[in-house]
Amino acid sequence: MTIARLFTLLPCENLERLELRRSSAEAEQILSGWTALWHPVLIASAGDPPQWLAANQPPRDPKGDWIVIPACCESLLPEDWRSEAVAFDARLFTAFDDREELHAAIEAALSQVSSEIDAELIADFRALGLAYLLVELTTRQARFASNLDEGAFRQATVAAAKFATAGNADEARRHLRTAFDRLSDARDYFFPLEIFWLDYTLTAPTAFGEALREEFSAGRPCNLLISGRTLETLAAKEPETLEALRNALDRDAVELVGGEYDEGPLPLMTLEACDAEIERGGSVYDKFLGRRPVIFGRRRFGLSPALPSLLERHGFSGVAHFTLDDGRFPLDEQSRIRWEGFDGAKIEALIRAPIDAGSAAEILRLPKHIGSRLDADQAVTVVFAHWPGSTCSWYEDLRRIAVYSAALGKFHSIAAFFKETASASRPIFYDEEKYQSPYFLQAAASGQIDPISRYVRFHDRMNSIECIGATDAVAALISKRAIDFDRKRLVGIVNDDLRNVSAVPNETIDAELSAAQADAVLRLSSALSGERDVSQTPASPVFFNPSSFPRAEVVAVRQGIDSESSYRFAELPGLGFQRVAATTAQTADPSRKRAPLFSEKKATEVDEDDERIVVRTKRFEAHFDRRSGALRAIRDESQRHPRLAQQIAFRMPDDDQTEPGADSHYSRMEADEIRVLSDDAVASVILSRGSLIDAAGNHLAGFKQTTRIAKNDAPIELEIELDPRRMPEPSAWQSYYACRFAWSDETAELHRAVCGFRRQAETNLIEAPSFIDVVQGESHTVVLCGGLPYHRRVGPRRLDSLLISHGETERRFRLGVAIDPANATHAASAFFRPSIELPGCRVKADSSWFFHLDRRNVVALNWSPTFDKDGAGAVVGFRVCLMETEGRPAQLGLRALRNLASARLVPHKDEADIRYAVEGDRVIIPMGPYEIVDLEAFFED
């Protein structure tokens, strides 16, 4: 068989102008057309490797030529050229959809000439053709001219082809390696550093079996992304695959990536819940693999500046700073950075978004991925992500290329990548506003149930667990006896429910938490009473504050078992109690679930007329509009204009005729009823009831709002009930029912809590389950979110706190407004975490604390007793997690209920043994901005 020349036509006049952003179909056509002619029989017969020509300038005299014409090039051919080529006895290959179809056509044309050549060797030749194309394209993407030694490359390629056709595979591969070396030399001329390829293999319970086992023996380092839950399922269903994974780990063929038990919505969870997921996952890795990942990674979005500190605490050495399921996160020119968190913690991060290893379009764009980074990136890196067995054939060609040469890159594990590359000279902090989660959009679009209220339940339950833990810890420290409180198990159940994977019904979870709370309260009551008789209710009830900060509350007391409750004012110390005298007090409000604060020095003042109802306290006035039922304005003497206004509205999706966020998108409130439900020295309660109406007069929903305004400094409480007739559409951020807030100052700043840390909110789509602080000069008007996570800033002066979106079933909601609270974090926590009455408790002192923190910007969480080492169970100290929340350094003094012998930082991996100064019952802890300190202290004997 005689072949004159081998040509592939391309849709460009030169390689510099070849458009690499193409559909998968066109990319498949171009790559298939290019590599199909790189067959040893064809090259040996033609005496030359294949060449390319522009489709609009095909060979004029194609006699004896073999020519491949991708479908995307056919419209570019000169008129009548095809018929002329056939007349010249040219062999044309057209109308193919993929490489298998084209290769089959060429094999058929070759008849049995190549039947004795090893199929793997033929595949190596085609991989050489792909490498040649990609190196040439990469050179041009980097704005260099080709430096390939064409003569040496041609000579080695033809020699390899002739040895292959002669049946000498070893010599053929030796010359192939020489050809690959020439490509490496060409690339090294303008970029002599190594290019890192990372194979990122994803897993799921549906992606086990033979395909996954083959990844472990594919001959390249495999970075296996696997969560603890998925590993647990693998162990139960695929013991053979689990054993293969263990063997691959032993021979360093696989790098574990992961860390959590399951992938929850980290940015919207509490730090304790995030920490528990990592620890829970670690125990599963230990159980089934005998090791834990040192590289943290996840498929779902879950990045936040709070993460570096958590990862440092758990001993991770690196993190994959990317996700694969939507969401927004920052990227960098460098592939490797030192990622800095809120508290200054730093961790090495791979910050290169993956490309799809199953897409021909991405393989064609590979030169753009590489070439655009050659100038700036110190460690040019390409991450290929795929499910087991779901790579495209072109990715398998890249694997072949890597075996012969590093011309385009070499496969590494992520751990090796960090070991072999240089760290960035300075750490990089990315503001939290650069991260935007996709959870809400995904939940609404997929019709998930309760995309909003699931977070309310989650945060309410986590606060319940914190209350139970603090109550039990104090009881244990007083009684000096161990208490069996399985906090980790409860947090795990609550986390599972948030992800909709819990096997425990909601009613069971809430019942268990209620029972645990009741048991903890009884234990503390007994511990405080000591030898005193607790069988009878004391004359003066005792109330316990489970929070680490002092707070003023109104508590309901009774003079006797059958007497009516009345409200009394209580100044509760942080983690302490107060005995409240059961004397005649203010009239009880039976409609209240939890009483507001009040001032005994201030008489109630409620003014009513035909237009409005005005409630006055010693701090502010609240104006209610009779027509709408809305809270028209909150006014105080410190500001000329109203501080805040509030109403309920339904937001309709944008249309092309209306400015986004304009009032015409929103319904209006029409009140059927508004009245003063109760009014006394404790609080004024305003009830408004009516309908939400659109611009056409259509009834969209019924509403009922109960507003409770304390006559002291307690937050205004808003209880909202909605009865929607029209449900929002799946466009989550465009269509919803919301509690709308407005203020007068366009320069006002918004601050929010991010995993417990106070941060400025600079984007319009705000995630804040705890609070949003509207800062106007020196004043702070704090919206207490009560677990509602999603808020949208509309223009410079409005905020929508979302209540009902597509798929939401909850109809009752609770929010608050705090006017100049001493600390927004404390106000938000108290809104979740009320004081606890200790039934039957008999104490000598009227008030006392068990622990005291002297800095408002530090909160204490996760209290637990410490037991002696001999296993006797005696309580010898305590542990607590301390968080600085305001971004300010603090010299914290923590006082305990007994004198202390020593205190130290609970060491994590590779941390030094840090001791803190102790003075009597006080330990002094220096804390940096946003620092988290796990403290362990021991009492004197």
Side-chain angles (χ1 to χ4, degrees), residues 729-749:
E729 297 179 15
S731 51
W733 287 107
Q734 304 294 324
S735 178
Y736 49 76
Y737 288 91
C739 183
R740 304 201 76 199
F741 298 95
W743 52 92
S744 57
D745 185 0
E746 293 190 356
T747 66
E749 294 181 351

Side-chain angles (χ1 to χ4, degrees), residues 321-333:
H321 187 281
F322 54 78
T323 53
L324 297 100
D325 75 331
D326 300 326
R328 185 183 70 197
F329 52 87
L331 297 173
D332 198 87
E333 290 184 343

Side-chain angles (χ1 to χ4, degrees), residues 588-727:
D589 174 12
S591 68
R592 289 186 51 77
K593 294 181 179 178
R594 189 167 69 207
L597 305 184
F598 68 96
S599 170
E600 296 178 299
K601 299 178 181 179
K602 185 72 177 177
T604 182
E605 296 182 23
V606 176
D607 293 341
E608 298 187 61
D609 56 35
D610 293 338
E611 297 292 330
R612 61 181 183 169
I613 297 175
V614 180
V615 180
R616 292 187 176 90
T617 73
K618 70 175 186 179
R619 294 287 304 276
F620 58 84
E621 296 179 347
H623 295 241
F624 293 86
D625 182 56
R626 283 195 176 275
R627 293 182 178 179
S628 66
L631 178 54
R632 178 188 292 176
I634 300 173
R635 295 179 176 273
D636 68 0
E637 297 180 355
S638 67
Q639 291 192 8
R640 179 179 178 182
H641 300 287
R643 273 202 176 201
L644 200 70
Q646 175 269 334
Q647 64 178 315
I648 308 167
F650 176 71
R651 189 186 193 283
M652 291 154 279
D654 296 338
D655 57 51
D656 296 335
Q657 307 301 319
T658 310
E659 179 183 353
D663 285 342
S664 58
H665 284 302
Y666 292 88
S667 65
R668 68 179 187 276
M669 295 172 68
E670 285 189 3
D672 299 328
E673 173 190 20
I674 178 169
R675 61 189 174 93
V676 180
L677 194 63
S678 66
D679 179 45
D680 51 38
V682 176
S684 295
V685 182
I686 311 300
L687 172 67
S688 59
R689 191 193 315 266
S691 301
L692 302 182
I693 308 297
D694 67 13
N698 298 312
H699 177 94
L700 301 175
F703 74 85
K704 175 185 174 183
Q705 176 168 308
T706 304
T707 307
R708 294 181 172 88
I709 303 174
K711 299 304 176 64
N712 198 269
D713 293 338
I716 298 171
E717 294 188 31
L718 305 171
E719 290 187 2
I720 298 171
E721 296 182 40
L722 291 172
D723 181 18
R725 290 188 180 179
R726 175 180 173 181
M727 284 301 293

Side-chain angles (χ1 to χ4, degrees), residues 12-129:
C12 62
E13 295 184 357
N14 52 64
L15 290 183
E16 287 83 355
R17 302 183 65 179
L18 177 61
E19 176 55 54
L20 300 184
R21 289 188 174 275
R22 293 183 177 272
S23 67
S24 292
E26 288 190 351
E28 183 75 25
Q29 293 164 14
I30 291 172
L31 293 176
S32 298
W34 179 275
T35 58
L37 297 177
W38 287 77
H39 191 291
V41 173
L42 296 177
I43 295 173
S45 179
D48 217 1
Q51 304 172 48
W52 74 273
L53 291 173
N56 62 354
Q57 297 178 8
R60 294 182 179 179
D61 182 12
K63 185 175 180 58
D65 295 344
W66 283 37
I67 304 172
V68 174
I69 308 171
C72 59
C73 296
E74 292 191 15
S75 62
L76 304 176
L77 293 172
E79 188 176 358
D80 298 331
W81 178 84
R82 185 192 296 270
S83 58
E84 293 175 2
V86 173
F88 274 102
D89 199 23
R91 182 67 66 92
L92 305 184
F93 297 89
T94 62
F96 53 88
D97 293 325
D98 54 43
R99 67 185 291 175
E100 285 73 21
E101 182 181 350
L102 178 57
H103 289 177
I106 289 177
E107 290 289 344
L110 290 175
S111 187
Q112 298 182 355
V113 177
S114 62
S115 60
E116 296 182 359
I117 302 178
D118 181 18
E120 291 294 309
L121 184 56
I122 296 174
D124 289 346
F125 272 89
R126 285 170 173 153
L128 175 64

Side-chain angles (χ1 to χ4, degrees), residues 183-195:
L183 294 177
S184 295
D185 293 342
R187 197 269 292 174
D188 290 345
Y189 181 81
F190 60 87
F191 186 73
L193 301 181
E194 186 171 1
I195 298 173

Side-chain angles (χ1 to χ4, degrees), residues 849-923:
W849 51 260
F850 306 106
F851 293 95
H852 174 73
L853 278 66
D854 62 6
R855 291 292 182 269
R856 287 180 177 175
N857 58 321
V858 178
V859 297
L861 303 167
N862 209 353
W863 296 91
S864 63
T866 299
F867 306 101
D868 60 7
K869 296 180 179 179
D870 62 9
V875 176
V876 297
F878 64 89
R879 283 190 178 190
V880 64
C881 176
L882 303 169
M883 288 177 55
E884 198 290 311
T885 62
E886 300 281 327
R888 296 182 284 112
Q891 189 78 358
L892 173 67
L894 186 155
R895 295 183 65 190
L897 69 167
R898 298 202 297 273
N899 282 350
L900 299 171
S902 64
R904 64 166 189 156
L905 174 71
V906 177
H908 299 287
K909 184 178 179 180
D910 299 330
E911 284 186 339
D913 184 19
I914 298 176
R915 301 281 171 163
Y916 297 112
V918 171
E919 301 172 355
D921 65 353
R922 185 169 184 260
V923 55

